[in-house]
């Protein structure tokens, strides 16, 4: 069956670290605020997963997120990266961070392994501390599992490459995460699993024919997590490298008939990504337009999270 969305309509923009009873108004928007923000980036890949990405020539997920945050913040961003799938992971001191941004992962969120459980527990701590969270793909599933929703393998199989016709719900159209976004759009994607049951405190913001939950906001304990199933951090070059990383899986799953077909697809992606000349013919052939070529549009959700969640939280807690 299709996923069932359960949620209230409240949108929490930010919360004081002192608790939900006050917003430390005297510290908000102070003239003494420093003009930079600290964001913790959570690279959710396991060590093996990171090695697989390196082998295929793809950038590590944490670096992609750092680069995206720095490109899309109105003020300078200071970042640290943690790896909560690693056995030696310890929760860092969180006092300096105005937000936490989660990457994707090749792990399976409903598997009861240390690599997964440590990440769910970490997100729950962040919810308790009230620090705003954002992320893509795995992050949406972590947000749901940490707040006691459910995820499962998608019976329609893998969604990969470009997610088509993502449609905002009425709540999504009104939500600040999608300010500047059209009601229907395409986005980079790669996932096998999906959200099947949203938890209490979640609002369904977008879906498409492949996955009914393509975006949601989850309010739990003292915090809020804005998350999308797709990948605003990707570009065509990274998609080409990811295709190489997943070559055998994509052949096995029937997305390509031969290695030559994989090679041709990768070449077309790289031609568009690195071209200073007109590639209208390839864009038309692959169905690629400004939804994913326009950086400002592609990353609108990220920019909105920084300006409407992370920065206000930092200002209200004397961090900016």
């Amino acid at each position: 069956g299709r996923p069932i969305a359960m949620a209230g309509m409240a949108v929490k923009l930010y919360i004081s670290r002192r608790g939900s009873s006050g917003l430390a108004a005297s510290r908000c928007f102070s003239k003494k605020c420093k003009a930079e923000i600290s964001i913790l980036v959570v690279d959710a890949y396991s060590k093996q997963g990171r090695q697989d990405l390196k082998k295929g020539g793809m950038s590590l997920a944490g670096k992609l997120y750092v680069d995206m945050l720095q490109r899309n913040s109105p003020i300078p961003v200071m970042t640290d990266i943690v790896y909560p799938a690693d056995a030696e992971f310890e929760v860092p001191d969180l006092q300096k961070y105005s937000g936490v941004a989660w990457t994707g992962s090749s792990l399976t969120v409903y598997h009861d392994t240390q690599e997964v459980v440590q990440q769910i527990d970490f997100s729950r701590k962040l919810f308790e501390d009230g620090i705003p969270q954002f992320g893509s793909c795995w992050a949406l599933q972590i947000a749901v599992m940490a707040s006691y929703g459910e995820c499962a393998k998608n019976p329609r199989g893998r969604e990969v490459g470009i997610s088509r016709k993502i449609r905002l719900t009425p709540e999504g159209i009104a939500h600040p995460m999608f300010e500047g976004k059209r009601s229907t759009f395409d986005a980079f994607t790669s996932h096998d699993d999906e959200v099947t049951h949203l938890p209490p405190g979640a609002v369904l913001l977008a879906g498409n024919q492949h996955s009914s939950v393509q975006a949601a906001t989850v309010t739990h304990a003292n915090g809020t997590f804005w998350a999308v199933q797709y990948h605003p951090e990707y570009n065509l070059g990274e998609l080409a490298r990811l295709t190489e990383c997943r070559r055998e899986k994509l052949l096995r799953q029937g997305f390509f008939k031969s290695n030559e077909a994989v090679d041709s697809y990768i070449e077309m992606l790289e031609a568009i990504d690195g071209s200073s000349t007109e590639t209208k013919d390839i864009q038309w052939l692959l169905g690629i337009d400004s939804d994913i070529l326009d950086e400002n549009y592609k990353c609108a959700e990220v920019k909105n999270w920084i300006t409407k969640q992370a920065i206000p939280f930092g200002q209200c807690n004397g961090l900016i």
Side-chain angles (χ1 to χ4, degrees):
R2 304 295 280 175
I4 298 172
M6 303 179 296
M9 286 295 297
V11 176
K12 185 185 294 183
L13 290 182
Y14 52 86
I15 185 169
S16 169
R17 202 186 297 273
R18 295 189 176 96
S20 59
S21 60
L23 288 175
S26 64
R27 303 183 73 170
C28 292
F29 310 106
S30 167
K31 292 181 180 179
K32 297 180 181 179
C33 285
K34 60 183 180 181
E36 66 180 32
I37 185 171
S38 291
I39 295 177
L40 181 65
V41 173
V42 180
D43 187 325
Y45 276 81
S46 66
K47 287 183 179 179
Q48 182 61 55
R50 299 196 297 271
Q51 290 174 4
D52 291 343
L53 293 180
K54 287 181 179 179
K55 184 178 178 180
M58 189 174 182
S59 300
L60 292 184
K63 182 181 185 304
L64 283 178
Y65 248 78
V66 168
D67 291 347
M68 177 177 66
L69 292 167
Q70 291 176 344
R71 289 195 310 269
N72 288 280
S73 175
I75 61 176
V77 178
M78 307 299 291
T79 59
D80 297 304
I81 303 176
V82 293
Y83 304 93
D86 295 359
E88 61 271 22
F89 170 72
E90 294 183 359
V91 175
D93 182 359
L94 299 171
Q95 291 297 311
K96 70 177 181 179
Y97 298 112
S98 297
V100 176
W102 291 73
T103 73
S105 178
S106 54
L107 295 169
T108 301
V109 76
Y110 46 85
H111 285 177
D112 188 20
T113 65
Q114 181 184 9
E115 295 171 321
V116 174
V117 171
Q118 284 187 168
Q119 300 199 52
I120 293 174
D121 288 345
F122 184 39
S123 183
R124 284 177 179 158
K125 175 171 177 51
L126 294 168
F127 271 124
E128 289 292 337
D129 287 357
I131 304 174
Q133 299 177 74
F134 175 86
S136 51
C137 195
W138 169 262
L140 173 62
Q141 297 165 23
I142 280 287
V144 167
M145 296 291 284
S147 51
Y148 304 100
E150 297 180 16
C151 299
K153 190 174 183 63
N154 192 323
R156 289 166 290 282
R158 171 174 283 266
E159 186 178 32
V160 65
I162 299 173
S163 182
R164 303 292 184 178
K165 297 180 181 178
I166 299 170
R167 185 178 296 275
L168 297 179
T169 64
E171 293 80 9
I173 291 172
H175 196 278
M177 180 161 67
F178 288 104
E179 183 177 302
K181 209 82 170 181
R182 293 180 284 273
S183 61
T184 303
F185 57 91
D186 295 343
F188 292 113
T189 195
S190 179
H191 66 108
D192 286 311
D193 303 320
E194 66 172 355
V195 174
T196 57
H197 295 80
L198 287 169
V203 179
L204 176 65
L205 301 180
N208 70 354
Q209 280 194 322
H210 193 275
S211 292
S212 292
V213 183
Q214 287 282 355
T217 179
V218 179
T219 300
H220 177 70
N222 299 312
T224 300
F225 200 138
W226 290 9
V228 298
Q229 183 61 68
Y230 46 92
H231 286 275
E233 73 275 21
Y234 285 1
N235 57 42
L236 290 171
E238 294 296 339
L239 179 59
R241 294 298 89 214
L242 180 64
T243 302
E244 181 59 50
C245 292
R246 304 286 183 259
R247 176 185 289 263
E248 295 304 319
K249 179 179 286 188
L250 295 175
L251 283 165
R252 189 168 61 251
Q253 293 176 339
F255 287 97
F256 299 98
K257 296 295 186 182
S258 66
N259 277 302
E260 290 75 19
V262 180
D263 293 339
S264 176
Y265 180 68
I266 290 173
E267 288 171 5
M268 286 189 285
L269 293 176
E270 291 177 337
I272 301 172
D273 183 63
S275 178
S276 59
T277 59
E278 182 63 55
T279 56
K280 181 178 179 180
D281 56 333
I282 307 176
Q283 292 178 40
W284 172 81
L285 185 64
L286 298 181
I288 290 173
D289 60 18
S290 61
D291 282 9
I292 61 172
L293 294 176
D294 184 331
E295 169 75 13
N296 289 328
Y297 184 80
K298 175 174 70 77
C299 293
E301 299 92 326
V302 182
K303 185 173 296 185
N304 289 333
W305 175 74
I306 294 171
T307 58
K308 301 176 188 300
Q309 288 270 287
I311 288 177
F313 178 87
Q315 289 172 326
C316 286
N317 287 282
L319 303 174
I320 300 176

